[in-house]
């Protein structure tokens, strides 16, 4: 249920409603909007008090059910779009400005990550990406530099000023990753790892939730709900391609997910055309199309020597290609009413 407060409802009235929600054994989530505050009351509804009785409390405009199975993620609860601030870095995701996250699939060493970080910064990227814990299909493939990789990403942040995003694969790694990273990434293969989702729901950092290889949009939003319901309001969704019968591309990038998500949820949406296509030369056209479709930003794999990359070389742009993409992206961004 959503308890919609009247415009100008006092803090005392809001606090009273929050207390009543707790008494009825639901969890309150306060969403302060520009005009009015709404309070989400979520929880298992069986055998509990009746929330519609709150309609008579002072300061309450009305009480409305949320029809979607996901509640806090739904645009029914929050009409305004969520803008996520990345720490105190000044980087925002979901506002008028596109956010471009770029960097190698894997951190491979100090020289590599520093060279790529400086280059993507010079080209205009807003964040650095790089994997320290790698979810590889084969156990014999490179598994990531782990904490050493996190330290190198931190070094690159210090050298360039770019905040970074990196993946966490397991609950046991969350403490460490959240200490270093500016945004914590949940990869495709973990989209329904509910223990991990609950754990990052308690993180102090924003969470970047990639779509699973075969999750529907509704299932994906239910995964976002796991994070939100644990108290972390900063969830970013990332479409990175899904499994279909098509084999020409590595995955099938579901561009139509962008307008669908922009209708169903207030959360920001980022597109990853690198994993979405798997082929370097198809990354720029899909990046431009993503912006036209209404994406809030892009995640792009970039490597200083893609042919020798330890993972995902075929889909990684080299440094001049990334710089060219950023130059061309400006026109698409402004046509879509965004800055870069
Ligand atoms: C990645 O971002 O490097 C990655 C492993 O992505 P995904 O989870 O989308 O495969
Ligand atoms: Mn990758």
């Amino acid at each position: 249920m959503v308890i919609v407060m009247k415009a100008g409802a006092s803090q005392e009235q809001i606090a009273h409603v929050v207390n009543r929600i707790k008494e009825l054994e639901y969890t309150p989530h306060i969403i302060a909007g520009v005009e009015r505050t709404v309070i989400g009351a979520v929880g298992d509804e069986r055998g509990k008090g009746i929330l519609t009785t709150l309609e008579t409390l002072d300061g309450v405009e009305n009480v409305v059910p949320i029809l979607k199975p996901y509640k806090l993620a739904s645009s029914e609860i929050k009409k305004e779009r969520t803008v996520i601030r990345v720490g105190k870095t000044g980087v925002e995701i979901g506002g008028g400005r596109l956010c471009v996250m770029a960097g190698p699939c894997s951190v491979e060493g100090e020289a590599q990550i520093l060279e790529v970080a400086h280059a993507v910064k010079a080209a205009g990227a807003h964040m650095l990406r790089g994997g320290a814990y790698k979810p590889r299909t084969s156990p014999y493939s490179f598994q990531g530099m782990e904490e050493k990789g996190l330290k190198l990403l931190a070094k690159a942040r210090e050298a360039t000023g770019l905040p970074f995003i990196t993946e966490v694969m397991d609950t046991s790694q969350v403490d460490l990753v959240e200490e270093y990273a500016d945004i914590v990434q949940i990869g495709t293969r973990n989209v329904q790892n509910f223990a991990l989702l609950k754990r990052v729901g308690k993180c102090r950092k924003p969470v970047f939730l990639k779509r699973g290889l075969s999750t529907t949009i509704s299932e994906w939003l239910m995964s976002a709900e796991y994070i939100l319901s644990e108290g972390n309001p900063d969830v970013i969704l990332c479409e990175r391609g899904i499994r279909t019968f098509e084999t020409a591309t590595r995955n099938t990038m579901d561009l139509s997910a962008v307008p669908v998500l922009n209708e169903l949820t207030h959360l920001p949406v980022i597109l990853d055309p690198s994993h979405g296509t798997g082929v370097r030369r198809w990354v720029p056209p899909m990046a431009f199309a993503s912006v036209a479709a209404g994406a809030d930003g892009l995640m792009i794999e970039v490597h200083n020597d893609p042919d020798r990359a330890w993972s995902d070389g075929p889909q990684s742009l080299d440094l001049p290609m990334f710089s060219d993409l950023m130059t061309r992206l400006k026109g698409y961004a402004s046509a879509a009413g965004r800055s870069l």
Side-chain angles (χ1 to χ4, degrees), residues 156-169:
R157 172 176 55 201
E158 212 171 291
T160 59
L162 289 180
F164 74 82
I165 172 168
T166 196
E167 178 165 352
V168 65
M169 283 172 53

Side-chain angles (χ1 to χ4, degrees), residues 104-106 129 131 134-135 167 185-189 210-211 238 240 250 272 275 299 301 312 315:
C105 180
S106 302
R129 65 142 286 148
K134 295 304 304 175
E167 178 165 352
Q185 174 172 326
I186 301 293
T188 293
R189 293 152 192 86
K210 285 195 153 193
R211 184 178 185 176
C238 175
R240 48 76 74 206
R250 181 177 177 188
D272 170 356
H275 294 88
M299 171 173 266
E301 286 190 336
D312 286 350
Q315 68 196 32

Side-chain angles (χ1 to χ4, degrees), residues 68-85:
K68 293 284 190 310
Y70 42 87
K71 311 292 178 189
L72 301 171
S74 168
S75 48
E76 289 178 67
I77 204 169
K78 188 172 173 216
K79 303 286 173 233
E80 294 147 33
R81 309 224 32 94
T82 290
V83 178
I84 291 171
R85 289 171 185 84

Side-chain angles (χ1 to χ4, degrees), residues 57-340:
L57 297 184
D58 286 344
V60 174
E61 175 89 44
N62 54 9
V63 177
V64 283
I66 306 171
L67 300 174
K68 293 284 190 310
Y70 42 87
K71 311 292 178 189
L72 301 171
S74 168
S75 48
E76 289 178 67
I77 204 169
K78 188 172 173 216
K79 303 286 173 233
E80 294 147 33
R81 309 224 32 94
T82 290
V83 178
I84 291 171
R85 289 171 185 84
V86 184
K88 294 189 174 69
T89 61
V91 173
E92 287 187 351
I93 304 169
R97 192 172 191 196
L98 293 176
C99 179
V100 179
M101 309 167 171
C105 180
S106 302
V107 180
E108 300 169 8
E110 183 165 341
Q112 174 244 18
I113 195 67
L114 284 175
E115 184 180 350
V116 176
H118 281 294
V120 298
K121 160 102 186 196
H126 310 94
M127 288 194 67
L128 177 66
R129 65 142 286 148
Y133 296 90
K134 295 304 304 175
R136 305 305 299 280
T137 302
S138 163
Y140 308 119
S141 300
F142 172 60
Q143 302 286 307
M145 292 185 76
E146 304 181 339
E147 189 172 5
K148 220 168 145 195
L150 297 175
K151 288 200 160 96
L152 293 178
L153 285 163
K155 202 162 190 178
R157 172 176 55 201
E158 212 171 291
T160 59
L162 289 180
F164 74 82
I165 172 168
T166 196
E167 178 165 352
V168 65
M169 283 172 53
D170 188 86
T171 51
S172 64
Q173 300 158 353
V174 177
D175 284 341
L176 196 63
V177 173
E178 110 171 282
E179 189 185 316
Y180 285 97
D182 298 283
I183 298 184
V184 172
Q185 174 172 326
I186 301 293
T188 293
R189 293 152 192 86
N190 269 320
V191 71
Q192 288 186 317
N193 179 340
F194 299 118
L196 184 58
L197 298 178
K198 284 186 189 177
R199 174 62 189 86
V200 296
K202 299 207 183 307
C203 265
R204 294 163 282 110
K205 300 285 172 70
V207 177
F208 188 82
L209 181 64
K210 285 195 153 193
R211 184 178 185 176
L213 283 170
S214 63
T215 39
T216 63
I217 288 175
S218 177
E219 288 165 340
W220 184 16
L221 289 171
M222 290 308 286
S223 292
E225 190 78 11
Y226 264 91
I227 303 168
L228 297 166
S229 65
E230 291 294 327
N232 189 339
D234 293 335
V235 177
I236 303 144
L237 300 166
C238 175
E239 162 64 42
R240 48 76 74 206
I242 51 175
R243 252 308 135 79
T244 67
F245 57 84
E246 183 54 71
T247 54
T249 46
R250 181 177 177 188
N251 294 291
T252 298
M253 196 168 141
D254 182 10
L255 260 188
S256 60
V258 184
V260 173
L261 287 168
N262 281 339
E263 198 173 296
L264 295 179
T265 180
H266 50 88
L267 298 172
V269 181
I270 299 268
L271 275 277
D272 170 356
S274 305
H275 294 88
T277 62
V279 178
R280 183 176 308 143
R281 67 181 180 283
W282 297 333
V283 170
M286 293 311 284
F288 304 144
S290 302
V291 172
D296 294 301
L298 296 164
M299 171 173 266
I300 310 277
E301 286 190 336
V302 180
H303 199 282
N304 52 335
D305 187 1
D307 293 341
R308 291 191 184 79
W310 295 359
S311 60
D312 286 350
Q315 68 196 32
S316 299
L317 304 190
D318 62 16
L319 305 182
M321 270 188 95
F322 178 68
S323 172
D324 180 60
L325 178 143
M326 289 300 282
T327 304
R328 293 168 63 203
L329 197 58
K330 283 198 186 85
Y332 292 94
S334 78
R338 308 256 191 170
S339 59
L340 188 58

